[in-house]
Amino acid sequence: MNAPEIGPAERAALEDIMERSARDLETHRMKCVPCRTPGVTCGTGANIAWTHKDAKRALGLE
């Protein structure tokens, strides 16, 4: 089943979420000791990453 078409306002909001979550994840990983450990991601880092992935999926980029 395909996702319904999204309008320009929704697309802009999703693109903004994607940009902010990418920045937030980068900032979080610089400050978070567990996330800097290879193969480990804390719950906050995982939530930010999933937010980014969900926005990409909604835009049809994934």
Side-chain angles (χ1 to χ4, degrees):
M1 182 175 183
N2 290 338
E5 289 293 320
I6 58 174
E10 291 88 359
R11 178 171 295 283
L14 287 166
E15 289 170 349
D16 184 52
I17 289 169
M18 244 178 49
E19 289 175 22
R20 281 185 300 150
S21 62
R23 266 193 322 267
D24 290 350
L25 186 58
E26 183 179 336
T27 301
H28 175 76
R29 285 182 175 157
M30 286 189 296
K31 295 178 181 178
C32 179
V33 173
C35 287
R36 284 186 285 164
T37 304
V40 177
T41 302
C42 78
T44 301
N47 285 338
I48 297 168
W50 278 105
T51 298
H52 182 78
K53 188 173 185 143
D54 286 345
K56 279 181 80 170
R57 190 178 311 120
L59 286 169
L61 300 175
E62 197 169 274

